[in-house]
Amino acid sequence: MNVKSIAIYLCIIGITASPCCFGQENNVPSGLKDAYNDYFKVGVALNTHNFSEEEQKLILDNFNSVTCENAMKPGEINPREGVWQWEGADRIANWCRQHKISMRGHCLVWHNQFAEWMMYDQKGELVPKEVFYQRLRSYIHTVMNRYKDIVYCWDVVNEAITDQQRPAWGNQPAGTPYRESKLYELCGDEFIAKAFEYAREADPEALLFYNDYNATDKGKSQRIYDMVKKMKDSGVPIDGIGMQGHYNIYGPSMDDVSAAIEKYASLVPHIHITELDIRANEEMGGQLQFSRQNEEIKPYIQILHAYQYTQLFKTLRRYKDVIDVVTFWNLSDRDSWLGASNYPLLFDRELKPKNAYHLVKNFEPYRDDSLPTEDFQPSALNQPEQEYPMVNSEGYARFRIDAPQAKSVIVSLSPEGSGGTVLRKGKDGYWWGTTDGPLEPGFHYYHLILDGGIFNDPGALNYFDSHRWESGIEIPAH
Ligand code: 9MR
């Protein structure tokens, strides 16, 4: 039990005179890393210009693992044969050494930002793969040796699986599950095995990861699983899978996140969320296809964003036995690779924590596994014959909305200051959702927010608030 759980427990059994108020900053001196002490490390990807006094404070308060966003990539360190540029990686590593924060190494082999020269001769022709392997081995040994005192794990191979595999058709076999990169052209999938072998030789203590994006996608997660299984079955030393986590406010679903974690956990003992951000558009993954340009972040987008973050962390907490670290990809929106207009992180472009930050940090552990009692009944204030909204004996409210064209539906009621309850579309086409906890007994006004537009709930009676007709719901006294 951490300090916060003990305090909540004391609070529940009535041993303290002060109110339960973990949303307050003066309660326990806790940043994210402290709040997650009993769960996993909380990491951040940094670049060399992230070390202003204000940023250093944010890092030290909130994070206990650091990844170099770019500085430890082969193309940065060893761009040409014989040319070594350690400056960026050393600066970040030395800062981490000084502050005793251990690092995730990112990355040794990737088709992008790679030391391309390793694959070519002076005429620009691909070298025999044996020559490439010699160079790769020497590179991996040199880099891992330099940082073995501070780096506890490495993304050895990054993004080697294809996003779309051509299915078998007629007598045509299915396409390759691998990304058709130059590396693959030169070596087939053997470069994956070789990279892991060299990394294990170079630092037997470091945990070795395969890292990829869209790792919750059903097809891609199967391809990742199959590749790692094949490698492990032939003795390749893979310790863990990195799920990058470049998500968005509409997805992935928490069912898909859980399914992927369980699938990978059946294969490897370590899962890291390596590059977390949640963008405000509908793109997903490690490639930047579209970036919002100076669009205003409307309040409903902020609610969806905070909701996706809180649901994700709730899900990740359930898998703390296998998840060692959750790393954010950049410190604040100011320097996110997605641009600040995508609103991706927990700190905004002014480095101020968003509401999502407080919600992720100030979770109440006892809520994580508490499910509402399934004795829901139609609310006493429904329109005649309407089943939904429903309320249960504990004060939870459940909503069902028919809005086939909507991209998002939010009910403006929530127990925890998150601004609302986000509904998710079920297989039956309805939008469904239950409040995250019990609401205060008594009458509540509320409305629906469909893609930013405000509507009343057709299932509930309407009541005149100070300025407009709102839907009403009665939460019965316990
Ligand atoms: O955040 C990185 C950005 O600054 C670089 O320009 C980009 C180059 O492709 O790489 C970004 O980081 C990537 C990471 O190393 C691997 N997964 C996808 C990340 C976002 O593209």
Side-chain angles (χ1 to χ4, degrees):
M1 245 191 196
N2 64 15
V3 178
K4 202 166 84 182
S5 338
I6 293 168
I8 287 173
Y9 176 70
L10 294 177
C11 217
I12 292 167
I13 63 172
I15 289 185
T16 173
S18 63
C20 278
C21 51
F22 296 100
Q24 290 184 12
E25 294 306 305
N26 59 1
N27 201 301
V28 179
S30 61
L32 286 173
K33 66 176 173 33
D34 308 294
Y36 282 86
N37 204 16
D38 290 349
Y39 294 85
F40 34 71
K41 286 174 187 267
V42 185
V44 62
L46 298 177
N47 51 61
T48 45
H49 54 265
N50 275 141
F51 295 93
S52 69
E53 231 172 90
E54 198 184 355
E55 285 165 305
Q56 289 193 46
K57 181 164 168 25
L58 272 195
I59 302 165
L60 292 171
D61 282 351
N62 288 289
F63 302 103
N64 49 10
S65 173
V66 162
T67 308
C68 290
E69 182 190 7
N70 288 305
M72 271 189 198
K73 291 172 181 171
E76 302 289 316
I77 289 184
N78 189 195
R80 286 178 301 284
E81 187 164 18
V83 175
W84 293 90
Q85 298 177 165
W86 298 109
E87 211 259 327
D90 277 1
R91 246 180 90 194
I92 298 176
N94 287 339
W95 187 87
C96 289
R97 288 176 176 124
Q98 184 191 344
H99 295 282
K100 305 205 170 359
I101 300 182
S102 52
M103 301 181 74
R104 295 197 82 255
H106 176 84
C107 51
L108 296 171
V109 181
W110 187 26
H111 62 278
N112 205 350
Q113 289 177 295
F114 190 54
E116 303 279 330
W117 66 267
M118 287 189 213
M119 292 186 288
Y120 296 96
D121 64 18
Q122 286 180 341
K123 286 190 247 137
E125 311 277 330
L126 284 174
V127 292
K129 65 180 182 179
E130 290 69 27
V131 174
F132 169 66
Y133 289 148
Q134 260 172 19
R135 293 170 171 179
L136 183 67
R137 180 169 182 272
S138 154
Y139 173 83
I140 289 178
H141 274 255
T142 308
V143 175
M144 288 183 76
N145 266 314
R146 189 173 185 97
Y147 299 114
K148 58 164 58 153
D149 63 311
I150 191 76
V151 169
Y152 62 96
C153 67
W154 275 95
D155 291 329
V156 176
V157 176
N158 198 35
E159 302 174 11
I161 294 294
T162 184
D163 291 338
Q164 299 282 341
Q165 181 179 15
R166 189 171 35 77
W169 194 75
N171 49 15
Q172 290 285 314
T176 172
Y178 294 100
R179 179 185 293 276
E180 294 184 72
S181 63
K182 277 284 165 216
L183 289 158
Y184 185 71
E185 188 184 323
L186 182 63
C187 316
D189 66 5
E190 193 185 45
F191 77 89
I192 303 175
K194 293 285 181 198
F196 278 95
E197 276 167 32
Y198 303 151
R200 176 63 22 107
E201 273 170 27
D203 181 2
E205 305 279 296
L207 291 176
L208 307 180
F209 280 75
Y210 174 74
N211 187 45
D212 214 329
Y213 64 84
N214 288 358
T216 59
D217 175 87
K218 286 194 178 62
K220 193 161 175 185
S221 63
Q222 188 61 44
R223 291 192 284 281
I224 294 173
Y225 176 94
D226 291 343
M227 180 277 284
V228 175
K229 174 139 187 16
K230 174 182 162 192
M231 295 282 160
K232 281 183 70 75
D233 287 350
S234 61
V236 176
I238 302 182
D239 300 310
I241 292 178
M243 299 170 64
Q244 293 188 5
H246 296 291
Y247 299 146
N248 71 43
I249 53 177
Y250 306 103
S253 74
M254 292 308 124
D255 286 349
D256 284 354
V257 173
S258 301
I261 294 173
E262 284 171 26
K263 181 183 231 147
Y264 299 141
S266 70
L267 201 54
V268 290
H270 301 276
I271 292 177
H272 290 185
I273 308 298
T274 53
E275 303 183 19
L276 181 58
D277 45 30
I278 296 182
R279 64 186 95 175
N281 70 41
E282 291 168 79
E283 303 292 346
M284 206 180 284
Q287 282 154 334
L288 185 60
Q289 292 141 11
F290 156 69
S291 159
R292 292 162 59 100
Q293 295 300 332
N294 299 320
E295 271 184 62
E296 181 200 349
I297 299 294
K298 301 208 168 89
Y300 86 97
I301 298 277
Q302 296 180 22
I303 295 172
L304 294 174
H305 185 254
Y307 182 83
Q308 186 71 335
Y309 261 119
T310 50
Q311 296 307 301
L312 178 66
F313 271 86
K314 188 175 188 174
T315 304
L316 299 179
R317 290 194 292 271
R318 294 205 178 106
Y319 294 102
K320 66 174 184 171
D321 290 348
V322 67
I323 295 177
D324 310 333
V325 59
V326 176
T327 292
F328 289 86
W329 203 243
N330 297 117
L331 180 58
S332 76
D333 288 357
R334 178 184 294 182
D335 54 7
S336 161
W337 70 290
L338 294 165
S341 306
N342 262 307
Y343 201 66
L345 295 160
L346 294 184
F347 296 102
D348 67 16
R349 64 175 93 198
E350 309 298 334
L351 302 177
K352 297 283 168 282
K354 299 176 184 174
N355 191 32
Y357 168 86
H358 298 292
L359 293 168
V360 165
K361 180 161 77 79
N362 302 324
F363 65 96
E364 297 184 9
Y366 76 92
R367 281 268 173 85
D368 281 0
D369 299 312
S370 60
L371 290 171
T373 305
E374 286 299 325
D375 57 358
F376 285 89
Q377 307 246 350
S379 153
L381 305 183
N382 282 1
Q383 300 273 2
E385 319 273 303
Q386 290 297 313
E387 250 187 306
Y388 287 89
M390 288 194 173
V391 292
N392 83 348
S393 56
E394 297 151 321
Y396 287 75
R398 179 168 286 167
F399 303 89
R400 187 189 73 179
I401 303 295
D402 186 15
Q405 307 292 324
K407 274 200 313 203
S408 66
V409 178
I410 302 169
V411 175
S412 68
L413 283 174
S414 72
E416 303 207 23
S418 60
T421 297
V422 174
L423 310 192
R424 290 294 187 215
K425 206 173 201 172
K427 290 208 172 74
D428 58 3
Y430 287 108
W431 292 84
W432 288 94
T434 305
T435 52
D436 238 3
L439 299 165
E440 286 291 311
F443 177 81
H444 297 264
Y445 290 108
Y446 74 100
H447 55 257
L448 309 177
I449 308 164
L450 274 72
D451 299 335
I454 295 196
F455 300 87
N456 282 2
D457 183 342
L461 293 174
N462 298 319
Y463 296 86
F464 199 73
D465 189 2
S466 53
H467 60 296
R468 71 178 291 274
W469 289 91
E470 291 265 279
S471 304
I473 190 168
E474 179 74 22
I475 304 299
H478 304 314

